[in-house]
Amino acid sequence: MYGDCQVMSSMGGNVVSSEALFSSTYQNPNFSFLPFEPLPPMIPKEENGLKEDMESGSGSEVQADDKSEENGGGEKSVKKKSYHRHTAGQIQEMEAVFKECPHPDDKQRMRLSQELGLKPRQVKFWFQNRRTQMKAQQDRSENVILRAENESLKNEFYRLQAELSKLVCPNCGGPPVPGGVSFEELRVENARLAEELERVCAIASRYMGRPIQTMGSLMPPSLELDMNIYPRQFPEPMAPILSEADSFPENNNLFLMEEEKTIAMELAMSAVDELVKMCLANEPLWIRNNKNGKELLNLEEHAKVFHWPLNLKQRSSEFRTEASRDSAVVIMNSITLIEAFLDANKWAELFPSIVARAKSIQVISPGVSGTNGCLQLMYAELHVLSPLVPTRETYFLRYCQQQNLEDQTYWAIVDFPLDGFHNNLQSSFPLYKRRPSGCLIHDMPNGYSMVTWVEHAEIEEKPIHHIFTHFVNSGMAFGANRWLAVLERQCERIASLMARNITDIGVIPSPEARKNLMRLSQRMIRTFCVNISSSSGQLWTAIPDSFEDTVRITTRKVSEAGQPNGLILCAVSTTFLPYPHHQVFDLLRDERRRTQLEVLSNGNALHEVAHIANGAHPGNCISLLRINVAGNSSQNVELMLQESCTDRSGSLVVYSTVDVNSVQLAMSGDDPSCIPLLPLGFFITPMELIKDAHDTEDAEGHISAGSLLTVGLQVLASTIQSAKINLSSIAGINNHLCTTVHQIRVALSSGSGTLSCPDKGNSAGSGSCSEAANAPEK
C-alpha cells in the first residue's frame, strides 16, 4: 500500500495524505471518534536511553554518537547507541541493600546514588528490574511445585477411583454410592414415603370409619389448616422452575473419562444396530395383536437375537418390560428432525406433554457437522399430565448415525442406557431403565419424513393409582404410539408457524404478530403441562374426601417473569368418563358450547376475535376469545387465549386470561415471553377397549369406549409469597373442581341420552341414573 503511494507520488499523481484521511468531516452518527493525533512519546526524553537487563540486574545509560554516513541518497544521520554495565562493586552494594530493603525510599536512593556515583533514576530502575526478576523467579519455582502437586493429586485420584470400582457394599453386594446420599435424594425419598404413608392411611380410614393420624407433624407445614378436618399437614412443595438451568439434579461425578468414551462408542454401534433391526424386523420378533392392531415384542426372541454387551442381569420379578413400535409420516425433513433431537431444549419443546425436563450433560463426540456420528450424554424427566403418575427420570446416551439400507439413506437416533459406567445414578422413583430405543428417519420426495419409532424400557413394578393402571401398564403412557402421535401433531404446528400461505381469521395484522401469538400459546401449553404433573420434584397432597381419591392440590411460590408473582394454588383431578375421546374434546374446545359450563365461563358468552389453524384437524387451533361481560367497555376488555390440540394419543384444551394491552404489544412485534400467564385446562386420554366386569355392551355387542379427563385449575392465592393458605381456599378450589367435572358430565349426558351421577358409590364414575329429559336445564 505504501509502495503504491510512493509510485504515484513519483509519477506526479494526486495522493491523499494521511492527515486528509483522518480529518474527514464525515462522521457516523452512532459513534463518536476522537480526532487523529500522533501519539506522545511513552518515555521521557531524558529517560529514552535506559535499557533493562534482567539477567544481570544492572541498569544502563545511553551514550549517543551522531555519525553521518553517505548511503546513496543523502539519508539522515543514524544514532548508534552504546551501553555500559554497572560495575561489580555497584551491583554488590545494591544487592546488599536490596536484601535489607527491596523498596528504598527517595532518601535511601539519593544516598546510595551518591555513594556509588550513579544517578538516582538509575538506582530507581535497577531496584525495579531486580524486584521484577525476583518475582519471575518465585513464579517459576511455584509453578514447578504446583505442577508436581497436580500430578500427585491426579495419580491419587485415579488410584482411589480404581479402588472404589473394586469395592462391594456389605449389605446388598452391589457397588457403593461414592460420597454418600445427597440431601436432595433424601428429601425426595422422604416426600415420596410421606405421600405413600398418607395414601395408605386415607384408604385405611375409609374402612375403619375413623381418621388415622400420620406422622405429618414431623414435617414443616406451609398451609394453615384445621387439623380436625384435615388430619394431615401439607408439606411445602418445590416450585417448578421453567428456566431449566437451575432445576436439574446435581450429579457432579457424571462425566465420562477418555477411556470410557471408547467403550461408549462401541456400545453406540451395538445400540444403533439393534435399533435398525428392531425397526425393520417382523415376526417372530414382533407379534401383531389382532384385537387392537398393536405389535408386541417377543421377549424370548429378543433375548436370542440381541445380546447387550454388558451382560445385564434380568430381574423379571422386580422389573416390567415395556416395548412398542409404530410408524408414521410427519411434515418435517430429516435434517430438521435430527437437529431437534440433538438439542435438549428443542427436544423438550417438541414433546411438551411427555418431556418435562431435558439437558445435554456432555458431548462425547461432535460427529460430522454436529449430526452424523454425534454422541451425547443426556438427562430427561418424562411425565404424564397428572400428579397421580410418577415421573420417570433417566440418564442415557444419545447417538446419531446415517445409515445406507437397501440403496436408501436413513438417519438413526438411538438412546441407550449408562449401564456399566455409573450404576449409582439411578435415583428415580420408580426405577426406570431405557433399553436401546429411538427412531429411524427416511426422507420422502415431498419434504416429509417416514419415521419408525421403537420404545423399549424396563420399569420397576410399583403400584400406581388404579385409574391410571391400565394406561401406564399397557404402554400407552410412554410407548412409541404416544411419542409418534405427539411428533406428528407438533410437526404440523411447526409447519403452520413457518407457513405464509395460511389465511387466518380475525384481528391478526401481520405474519410476525401471528408468530408471536403462537409462541405465547406454546409457552402457555408448556407451563400448563409442567404445573399439573409431578415433575421437578413437585409435591402434591390428596384431599381425603375427594371422589375416587383423585383430587391433588399443591402450592408453589413464583417470582420469575412469565407467571403472576406470588403464591399459586393448583388443584388437579382425573375422572373416567364413559364417552368417546373426541366427544369430550369437541365439548371443551367449542367456545359456543362453553356457556353450558357456567363454572368455566361465569355465565358470560365468548366471542372469537382471532383464529389460527395449526393442523389438519379442525380442533388443532389457537383462538383469541373476547369475554362478553355486561358493561364491558372498550376501555376494559377481557380476552382469553386458548389452544386446543388433538391426536390419536390424547387431546389438550388450555386457556388463560390475558390483558388486552399485552396482546396488543405481542401483536406489534414485542417479545411475548414476559406476559404473565396462569393457564387452566383439560387433558383427555382415550382408553383402549378392554372387556372386563365394568364394561357395558350395546345391542350389537360392542364394548363402549371411554376416556380419562384430567382437569387442572390454578389460582393466584396471594401476591405475597410467604402468605399461608387457609382452609377456605382449599375448600373453594376443591368445590370449583368438582362442580366443573359435574357440569361436564351433565353436558355430555345431555347430548348422548344418559346422565352420569357423580356418586361415590359408583366405582367407575359412569353409572346412568336418568334419561336426558330429566337432566337439569342450563
Side-chain angles (χ1 to χ4, degrees), residues 397-556:
L397 292 163
R398 174 165 291 179
Y399 181 64
C400 173
Q401 188 184 62
Q402 193 174 19
Q403 297 271 328
N404 293 320
L405 305 172
E406 301 176 356
D407 297 331
Q408 292 184 342
T409 301
Y410 290 81
W411 285 93
I413 292 284
V414 61
D415 299 341
F416 58 98
L418 276 171
D419 294 318
F421 295 114
H422 297 272
N423 294 327
N424 58 312
L425 288 175
Q426 189 59 265
S427 59
S428 63
F429 174 80
L431 297 180
Y432 175 67
K433 291 187 176 181
R434 201 172 185 212
R435 294 283 151 244
S437 305
C439 56
L440 199 62
I441 306 171
H442 174 55
D443 272 324
M444 302 185 72
N446 56 358
Y448 292 11
S449 298
M450 169 64 75
V451 180
T452 303
W453 197 296
V454 169
E455 198 66 26
H456 185 199
E458 292 179 355
I459 184 70
E460 188 179 11
E461 194 72 65
K462 293 291 184 181
I464 60 175
H465 196 280
H466 66 86
I467 201 168
F468 278 104
T469 299
H470 170 65
F471 179 66
V472 175
N473 292 346
S474 63
M476 297 170 60
F478 300 97
N481 311 90
R482 185 167 175 238
W483 281 96
L484 204 50
V486 174
L487 179 62
E488 286 182 86
R489 169 165 47 86
Q490 288 294 103
C491 287
E492 284 188 359
R493 193 185 195 282
I494 295 175
S496 174
L497 177 66
M498 306 304 296
R500 294 185 177 272
N501 58 349
I502 299 178
T503 303
D504 300 316
I505 303 173
V507 289
I508 301 179
S510 64
E512 186 63 27
R514 183 178 187 270
K515 287 185 178 180
N516 278 353
L517 199 61
M518 292 188 69
R519 292 191 182 103
L520 182 63
S521 182
Q522 182 180 7
R523 180 165 64 86
M524 178 181 66
I525 291 284
R526 176 122 183 102
T527 303
F528 175 78
C529 292
V530 171
N531 288 347
I532 70 167
S533 71
S534 55
S535 63
S536 302
Q538 191 168 208
L539 303 180
W540 296 80
T541 304
I543 297 181
D545 57 352
S546 63
F547 175 68
E548 285 294 304
D549 190 33
T550 61
V551 179
R552 297 291 186 272
I553 62 173
T554 187
T555 60
R556 69 179 188 277

Side-chain angles (χ1 to χ4, degrees), residues 122-190:
Q122 288 179 296
V123 176
K124 174 182 176 182
F125 288 123
W126 186 92
F127 274 88
Q128 287 182 355
N129 295 342
R130 190 68 180 92
R131 287 194 297 268
T132 304
Q133 182 183 12
M134 288 293 296
K135 183 66 168 58
Q137 292 176 354
Q138 291 177 359
D139 290 343
R140 286 194 293 268
S141 301
E142 290 179 358
N143 287 337
V144 172
I145 296 173
L146 290 176
R147 286 195 188 97
E149 291 181 355
N150 187 25
E151 291 297 327
S152 176
L153 290 174
K154 281 184 180 180
N155 296 333
E156 182 68 14
F157 172 76
Y158 291 136
R159 186 187 66 80
L160 292 176
Q161 193 178 38
E163 292 293 332
L164 188 62
S165 62
K166 300 176 184 178
L167 294 178
V168 177
C169 177
N171 297 327
C172 63
V177 180
V181 181
S182 67
F183 174 77
E184 182 67 19
E185 293 175 349
L186 290 175
R187 191 189 65 79
V188 173
E189 180 69 10
N190 185 38

Side-chain angles (χ1 to χ4, degrees), residues 2-261:
Y2 299 105
D4 294 340
C5 292
Q6 293 173 1
V7 171
M8 293 177 67
S9 177
S10 64
M11 294 175 64
N14 295 326
V15 180
V16 181
S17 66
S18 60
E19 295 180 0
L21 283 175
F22 285 97
S23 62
S24 174
T25 57
Y26 175 79
Q27 291 186 358
N28 191 328
N30 297 325
F31 298 90
S32 178
F33 290 101
L34 294 175
F36 178 76
E37 295 179 357
L39 294 176
M42 298 183 65
I43 304 176
K45 193 170 184 180
E46 62 272 12
E47 298 174 10
N48 194 29
L50 290 178
K51 180 181 178 182
E52 299 174 359
D53 190 347
M54 298 297 298
E55 300 250 347
S56 64
S58 63
S60 60
E61 185 176 0
V62 176
Q63 296 186 4
D65 295 332
D66 296 342
K67 296 182 180 179
S68 300
E69 295 179 5
E70 300 292 335
N71 292 328
E75 296 181 356
K76 294 181 179 180
S77 61
V78 180
K79 294 183 178 180
K80 297 183 65 177
K81 301 178 181 179
S82 60
Y83 304 94
H84 74 274
R85 298 180 181 274
H86 297 310
T87 63
Q90 291 172 337
I91 295 176
Q92 183 177 4
E93 187 68 23
M94 286 189 289
E95 284 283 359
V97 176
F98 181 83
K99 293 179 181 180
E100 298 294 333
C101 179
H103 295 272
D105 55 17
D106 293 340
K107 293 182 179 179
Q108 291 174 323
R109 288 198 299 270
M110 181 65 69
R111 181 182 57 80
L112 194 59
S113 64
Q114 293 175 355
E115 293 176 356
L116 300 178
L118 299 172
K119 294 181 179 181
R121 88 173 51 87
Q122 288 179 296
V123 176
K124 174 182 176 182
F125 288 123
W126 186 92
F127 274 88
Q128 287 182 355
N129 295 342
R130 190 68 180 92
R131 287 194 297 268
T132 304
Q133 182 183 12
M134 288 293 296
K135 183 66 168 58
Q137 292 176 354
Q138 291 177 359
D139 290 343
R140 286 194 293 268
S141 301
E142 290 179 358
N143 287 337
V144 172
I145 296 173
L146 290 176
R147 286 195 188 97
E149 291 181 355
N150 187 25
E151 291 297 327
S152 176
L153 290 174
K154 281 184 180 180
N155 296 333
E156 182 68 14
F157 172 76
Y158 291 136
R159 186 187 66 80
L160 292 176
Q161 193 178 38
E163 292 293 332
L164 188 62
S165 62
K166 300 176 184 178
L167 294 178
V168 177
C169 177
N171 297 327
C172 63
V177 180
V181 181
S182 67
F183 174 77
E184 182 67 19
E185 293 175 349
L186 290 175
R187 191 189 65 79
V188 173
E189 180 69 10
N190 185 38
R192 182 188 65 79
L193 292 175
E195 167 96 16
E196 185 71 14
L197 176 62
E198 292 173 357
R199 188 182 68 83
V200 173
C201 291
I203 296 175
S205 63
R206 292 184 181 181
Y207 293 96
M208 298 180 64
R210 60 180 178 83
I212 298 179
Q213 298 292 335
T214 67
M215 297 180 65
S217 58
L218 299 178
M219 295 180 290
S222 66
L223 305 178
E224 292 180 350
L225 301 175
D226 185 356
M227 299 309 293
N228 295 325
I229 301 177
Y230 286 86
R232 53 178 107 173
Q233 301 248 3
F234 287 73
E236 182 170 341
M238 174 181 174
I241 306 173
L242 293 181
S243 58
E244 307 286 347
D246 300 328
S247 60
F248 293 95
E250 295 182 0
N251 282 288
N252 298 326
N253 296 327
L254 184 56
F255 198 82
L256 297 190
M257 309 298 291
E258 289 298 328
E259 59 272 12
E260 294 176 324
K261 292 180 180 180

Side-chain angles (χ1 to χ4, degrees), residues 695-716:
D695 288 328
T696 58
E697 296 185 3
D698 56 19
E700 299 179 358
H702 296 148
I703 304 175
S704 62
S707 56
L708 292 179
L709 173 65
T710 299
V711 185
L713 302 180
Q714 299 186 93
V715 294
L716 180 62

